[in-house]
Amino acid sequence: MIVVGAGSAGFNAAISAKMAGAKVVLFEKAAYTGGNSMLAAGGINAVGTPQQKKKGIEDKVEWYYEDAMKGGRYQNDPKLVQILAEESADAVKWLESLGANLDDLKRSGGARVERTHRPSGGASVGPHIVDTLRKAAKERDVDVRLNSRIEKIVLNDDKSVAGVVVHGRHSGYNMVAADSVVLATGGYGMNKEMIAYYRPTMKDMTSSNNVTATGDGVLLAKEIGASMTDIDWVQAHPTIGKDSRILISETVRGVGAIMVNTDGERFIDELTTRDRASDAILKQKDQYAWLVFDEQLVAKKKMVRGYDHLGMLSKGNTIEELAKITGMSKLPKTAGDYNKYQAAGKDDAFGRDDMPLNLTKPPFYAVKVAPGIHHTMGGVAVDTDANVLNLQSWKMSGLFAAGEVTGGLHGFNRLGGNAIADTVVFGRIAGENAAKHALEKK
Ligand SMILES: Cc1cc2nc3c(=O)[nH]c(=O)nc-3n(C[C@H](O)[C@H](O)[C@H](O)COP(=O)(O)OP(=O)(O)OC[C@H]3O[C@@H](n4cnc5c(N)ncnc54)[C@H](O)[C@@H]3O)c2cc1C
């Protein structure tokens, strides 16, 4: 069997398939593995883990389900969401069994409790998971071929999968036969043409995505008659460094930053979902905002130092100095008010219900942010076994898909931490079912 794309979904599929006894080749078009997965900063969502138990966090599969559905404005495929919620703890356990450390917990936008898992010390989750998966694949002798772009899926006369056409950068075109193919090619956040076609209002936005996210899987599947779900639903992340492609992680708001407009006034509950936060920023003057925080947050979250090294942070020894440097005249009053809400545990202005830090410890920092393309929720239509569906909603024999290339799971808006969970849960399902299909054909 063949897996197309070596991000988290592809690696999870290939490793699971190999463990199920299939002969697997994992093709990756880039000269490196990791795709968007290796950029993931925040974490992976899971409910009912030992990590939550240790911290005394009460959580339920029903709550995870409800949060994901609410975040997706109830446009999600409920059956896929149910599986994601039920299998999420096992996904974390599986990654740990492969060598990952996911001991740290935080709360992401749209989640009612802390269920976003990441490495101890709050390090970025993506590079860690991708490293773990690369190593696990190597240890299990998964055949990974880099510089190998799949350009066509070939079908038999009965429409079952016959194999793929691969364009090797150094080896030219070859047809490779396979009984099952798993599409794990990621989203289309870096394909300007597809964005302009499916979501014209976003065509001039920056993108946080890796250059690899060009929607190949959607095009490959469409060409052979696959159905698409929610294909025009694209998520703008509210906090991409203005005029850059650098994502300022949701964690920064999650652990305590406030978000203000160019005058220094708050305008929304910072922990709201990404779509609502993005819409709110676009309604502000000049369509950008600032995240403001202090030294307490920097000490708590190592990743923020990276933004400093990149020269993205404005810094002041007092909040008044920061206000002067950035031109946010109302910032001192906003900070004073926020500190009062934080001390009282009640945000009278916007109802933010988690305010872990106040703004009192110098130096004070601000980073300019604006919405940018972050996730393509829509994609190839799949059923709960990761079978790709055709236009009649029938399974396409031998064709499976997982991860950001698929549509349906996240509905209108994906919650932070649910994409990596998706790649692990459905990557494994796709790998196991593709292996089963291939082995049954023998
Ligand atoms: C900056 C950033 C931060 C994020 N942070 C988080 C987070 O903290 N938590 C979370 O849950 N989600 C996060 N996400 C979203 C998440 O990372 C992605 O949705 C997820 O990793 C997608 O995984 P994937 O395996 O489906 O695709 P990818 O990881 O994108 O992998 C797809 C792979 O397929 C390859 N490929 C594509 N076409 C072909 C072809 N024709 N032939 C061969 N190979 C091909 C690509 O080169 C790529 O390597 C973040 C995304 C970004 C961009």
Side-chain angles (χ1 to χ4, degrees):
M1 60 171 273
I2 284 169
V3 178
V4 190
S8 173
F11 268 123
N12 279 294
I15 294 167
S16 306
K18 184 83 187 191
M19 285 164 80
K23 189 177 165 206
V24 193
V25 183
L26 172 54
F27 286 111
E28 168 55 53
K29 70 176 175 183
Y32 53 89
T33 57
N36 267 359
S37 301
M38 70 177 178
L39 303 182
I44 168 171
N45 289 347
V47 46
T49 60
Q51 288 87 329
Q52 283 186 317
K53 203 167 171 197
K54 195 168 160 201
K55 249 185 135 179
I57 294 161
E58 194 201 345
D59 198 4
K60 295 179 181 165
V61 167
E62 297 89 288
W63 290 355
Y64 187 132
Y65 173 89
E66 283 163 17
D67 289 347
M69 293 297 291
K70 187 173 173 210
R73 303 212 192 151
Y74 300 97
Q75 301 301 308
N76 329 45
D77 179 335
K79 290 200 220 81
L80 296 178
V81 181
Q82 185 66 32
I83 291 175
L84 181 76
E86 280 171 8
E87 299 298 322
S88 59
D90 202 49
V92 165
K93 199 168 151 200
W94 151 266
L95 289 173
E96 288 171 336
S97 77
L98 300 179
N101 166 334
L102 294 164
D103 284 347
D104 196 42
L105 264 180
K106 66 146 186 155
R107 185 174 165 197
S108 293
R112 73 185 77 182
V113 296
E114 290 182 24
R115 66 166 75 101
T116 304
H117 297 64
R118 59 214 174 128
S120 310
S124 292
V125 74
H128 177 64
I129 287 185
V130 169
D131 273 349
T132 303
L133 293 168
R134 281 179 186 139
K135 201 162 152 260
K138 198 165 178 202
E139 283 165 4
R140 285 159 185 82
D141 282 331
V142 174
D143 185 352
V144 182
R145 313 265 178 102
L146 301 177
N147 295 306
S148 302
R149 178 193 295 270
I150 302 307
E151 299 210 345
K152 200 174 181 55
I153 300 167
V154 183
L155 300 182
N156 293 304
D157 289 344
D158 66 358
K159 303 270 187 210
S160 62
V161 161
V164 296
V165 174
V166 55
H167 183 189
R169 186 171 293 164
H170 309 294
S171 52
Y173 287 90
N174 283 287
M175 154 91 193
V176 183
D179 294 315
S180 311
V181 169
V182 177
L183 283 175
T185 48
Y188 68 88
M190 281 298 282
N191 186 325
K192 284 271 172 205
E193 258 177 48
M194 286 175 78
I195 294 284
Y197 182 77
Y198 289 121
R199 203 60 192 267
T201 51
M202 291 189 175
K203 74 178 175 17
D204 297 321
M205 270 188 187
T206 184
S207 168
S208 64
N209 284 197
N210 196 326
V211 289
T212 54
T214 49
D216 297 22
V218 166
L219 302 172
L220 288 166
K222 224 172 136 193
E223 199 186 2
I224 53 166
S227 175
M228 300 294 143
T229 302
D230 310 335
I231 188 69
D232 53 342
W233 290 355
V234 178
Q235 178 179 79
H237 194 293
T239 61
I240 296 187
K242 185 159 169 9
D243 303 321
S244 81
R245 289 191 41 223
I246 296 164
L247 181 83
I248 307 299
S249 171
E250 213 151 54
T251 314
V252 177
R253 277 171 293 146
V255 294
I258 62 167
M259 185 156 71
V260 296
N261 61 20
T262 50
D263 293 328
E265 291 172 310
R266 289 176 71 214
F267 52 90
I268 195 163
D269 166 11
E270 289 83 355
L271 302 183
T272 190
T273 52
R274 291 173 178 172
D275 55 337
R276 291 182 204 283
S278 294
D279 287 349
I281 294 173
L282 294 175
K283 284 187 191 130
Q284 305 304 306
K285 195 168 68 182
D286 298 329
Q287 302 194 314
Y288 73 88
W290 292 88
L291 294 180
V292 177
F293 47 91
D294 71 3
E295 188 59 26
Q296 299 174 82
L297 189 142
V298 178
K300 216 169 159 190
K301 289 299 141 222
K302 288 183 200 149
M303 66 167 65
V304 176
R305 296 194 199 285
Y307 308 137
D308 200 14
H309 293 149
L310 290 167
M312 298 173 80
L313 303 185
S314 300
K315 211 183 290 186
N317 286 321
T318 60
I319 202 86
E320 288 75 18
E321 191 186 345
L322 184 66
K324 206 167 165 199
I325 292 167
T326 55
M328 293 190 276
S329 58
K330 295 180 180 148
L331 185 62
K333 175 167 182 343
T334 301
D337 289 347
Y338 184 78
N339 288 343
K340 279 185 215 149
Y341 304 147
Q342 199 266 351
K346 186 165 178 287
D347 174 13
D348 285 338
F350 296 100
R352 174 174 176 159
D353 64 5
D354 189 35
M355 296 177 280
L357 298 175
N358 56 20
L359 288 159
T360 50
K361 188 165 186 217
F364 298 89
Y365 302 86
V367 54
K368 239 185 223 183
V369 292
I373 292 160
H374 187 56
H375 194 86
T376 46
M377 271 82 61
V380 175
V382 284
D383 67 11
T384 49
D385 290 326
N387 291 293
V388 173
L389 304 177
N390 69 11
L391 295 172
Q392 287 75 36
S393 294
W394 296 341
K395 305 194 260 201
M396 298 182 74
S397 177
L399 188 59
F400 301 82
E404 200 174 335
V405 68
T406 63
L409 175 65
H410 305 295
F412 190 73
N413 176 60
R414 169 177 75 75
L415 293 188
N418 274 358
I420 293 293
D422 170 18
T423 62
V424 183
V425 169
F426 288 98
R428 291 176 69 195
I429 291 174
E432 279 161 16
N433 289 330
K436 195 164 161 236
H437 181 87
L439 291 166
E440 276 168 3
K441 281 215 142 192
K442 288 285 159 245

